[in-house]
């Protein structure tokens, strides 16, 4: 199939029919992104690998329930996120909540984008790991997984405006961390 989303939907249909090769294809196409999203939430590689396995089992089990209301990648990320949150609750690890966020995000590119242009990727990765889990998660969904703001809102089960606020707060926090390391305009 020419269109990736149509191909993904066909794979889900085949998984629902218990086609193991289709599940393998879904994993090859989306496993790396899923793992990255899980890692943003739990910050532990070993646990993230386990949650990824749990996610793929859930995809296998629930493929017939996929209604097509979202992209396949969004659906799979939502499953992975639920699995990660369930694991965190079971292990009594709490996710950070955004207590105070600006009411309106600034849509204009800020100095953080200019700073990011001059920063080594290792420094960015380190700074991202120091962000609050909610901020890491929204950055990962928007920039890592390439999801739209409405898709992120659906996955996180929050209003789109809240996604925008969290994204703004995450970018601001990341910019501050990078400035503290000596990266500036």
């Amino acid at each position: 199939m020419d269109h990736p989303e149509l191909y993904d939907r066909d794979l889900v249909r085949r998984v629902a029919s218990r086609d193991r090769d289709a599940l393998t294809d879904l994993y090859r196409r989306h496993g790396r992104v899923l793992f990255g999203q899980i890692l943003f939430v739990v910050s532990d590689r070993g646990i993230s690998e386990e949650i990824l396995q749990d996610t793929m089992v859930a995809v296998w089990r629930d493929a017939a329930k996929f209604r097509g209301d979202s992209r396949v990648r969004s659906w799979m990320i939502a499953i992975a996120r639920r699995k990660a949150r369930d694991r965190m609750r079971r292990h009594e690890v709490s996710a950070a909540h955004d207590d105070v966020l600006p009411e309106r995000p600034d849509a204009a590119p800020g100095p953080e984008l200019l700073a990011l242009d001059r920063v080594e990727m290792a420094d960015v990765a380190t700074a991202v790991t120091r962000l609050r889990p909610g901020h890491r998660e929204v950055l990962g969904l928007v920039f890592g997984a390439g999801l739209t703001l409405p898709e992120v809102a659906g996955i996180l089960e929050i209003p789109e405006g809240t996604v925008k606020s969290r994204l703004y707060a995450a970018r601001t926090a990341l910019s501050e961390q990078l400035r503290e390391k000596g990266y500036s305009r």
Side-chain angles (χ1 to χ4, degrees):
M1 293 189 172
D2 292 334
H3 192 273
E5 181 59 24
L6 293 177
Y7 182 67
D8 284 346
R9 288 173 184 264
D10 183 58
L11 288 174
V12 172
R13 183 191 54 73
R14 289 174 40 208
V15 169
S17 299
R18 298 301 179 236
D19 181 337
R20 291 177 187 265
D21 291 334
L23 183 66
T24 300
D25 277 356
L26 273 177
Y27 177 80
R28 283 187 192 129
R29 292 173 60 78
H30 302 288
R32 178 177 265 163
V33 169
L34 291 172
F35 180 76
Q37 297 311 306
I38 295 165
L39 192 58
F40 275 130
V41 175
V42 300
S43 301
D44 181 284
R45 284 190 82 74
I47 293 173
S48 295
E49 289 170 1
E50 292 174 14
I51 294 169
L52 178 57
Q53 290 175 358
D54 293 345
T55 299
M56 295 311 295
V57 168
V59 167
W60 176 259
R61 185 187 61 237
D62 296 337
K65 296 178 186 175
F66 178 69
R67 297 184 319 239
D69 296 339
S70 66
R71 289 192 299 165
V72 171
R73 178 177 277 190
S74 298
W75 175 68
M76 292 175 69
I77 289 172
I79 292 170
R81 182 180 176 275
R82 282 191 300 276
K83 295 291 180 188
R85 295 289 182 194
D86 289 348
R87 176 68 67 93
M88 291 172 66
R89 276 194 285 273
R90 257 195 330 261
H91 286 89
E92 298 179 3
V93 178
S94 60
H97 296 284
D98 293 320
D99 301 319
V100 180
L101 292 173
E103 288 192 25
R104 292 186 184 164
D106 183 5
E112 69 276 359
L113 293 179
L114 299 173
L116 285 175
D117 286 340
R118 289 180 242 136
V119 177
E120 295 292 326
M121 285 308 294
D123 290 334
V124 173
T126 300
V128 168
T129 63
R130 292 187 181 132
L131 295 175
R132 294 166 48 180
H135 291 164
R136 283 195 315 263
E137 187 173 46
V138 76
L139 282 175
L141 291 169
V142 172
F143 297 111
L147 300 181
T148 65
L149 296 181
E151 288 174 321
V152 173
I155 288 170
L156 298 179
E157 299 174 347
I158 58 176
E160 189 175 334
T162 303
V163 173
K164 290 177 184 177
S165 296
R166 287 186 187 178
L167 184 58
Y168 174 80
R171 289 174 55 202
T172 301
L174 182 60
S175 179
E176 280 300 312
Q177 284 194 35
L178 295 173
R179 265 191 228 111
E180 289 172 9
K181 284 193 69 115
Y183 295 100
S184 63
R185 284 186 145 171

